[in-house]
Amino acid sequence: QVQLVESGGGLVQPGGSLRLSCAASGSIRRIYTMGWYRQAPGKQRELVAIITSGDSTNYSDSVKGRFTISRDNAKPTVYLQMNGLKPEDTAVYYCTLRMLSSYWGQGTQVTVSS
């Protein structure tokens, strides 16, 4: 079993920054992918960014150049640095870890508003 705990969400003004963290614990294999998805009210959950065990990354077009995903395998923890936030980034952000199965965190709210 794997547990994921997110932190770092909150309220920020447009143009501001936030850093999300997701700490993983439990039975984690050496090779796994971690990432972030988000879900805005009335919309489907969508990919934000993922990072593989080899540090390859993939971002949605809507966040490229503004968000940066990184990981610390020693902890293990995945981070999402979000800069230049826009109101359309408002959503619940979910951390995910993929091995043979996929695991999800409980989500953290990010609200971008003046």
Side-chain angles (χ1 to χ4, degrees):
Q1 192 70 310
V2 173
Q3 295 79 41
L4 301 173
V5 179
E6 300 116 331
S7 60
L11 173 64
V12 64
Q13 293 186 342
S17 298
L18 283 174
R19 189 191 194 210
L20 305 183
S21 299
C22 174
S25 61
S27 301
I28 301 172
R29 295 173 181 265
R30 290 176 60 86
I31 300 174
Y32 56 94
T33 295
M34 295 190 77
W36 294 91
Y37 282 69
R38 67 186 182 187
Q39 187 167 17
K43 295 188 177 181
Q44 290 188 332
R45 191 173 296 189
E46 63 176 2
L47 171 72
V48 177
I50 57 171
I51 183 167
T52 69
S53 56
D55 287 339
S56 294
T57 59
N58 187 35
Y59 296 90
S60 71
D61 288 341
S62 62
V63 306
K64 278 181 182 176
R66 300 188 297 122
F67 292 9
T68 302
I69 190 170
S70 61
R71 62 192 283 167
D72 181 344
N73 292 327
K75 293 188 177 181
T77 301
V78 64
Y79 305 97
L80 186 68
Q81 178 65 43
M82 304 185 293
N83 299 328
L85 283 161
K86 305 175 181 179
E88 51 264 43
D89 295 317
T90 296
V92 178
Y93 284 69
Y94 296 91
C95 172
T96 185
L97 184 150
R98 301 175 191 168
M99 297 182 292
L100 294 179
S101 300
S102 291
Y103 301 89
W104 295 88
Q106 81 286 354
T108 185
Q109 177 70 45
V110 172
T111 302
V112 185
S113 175
S114 55

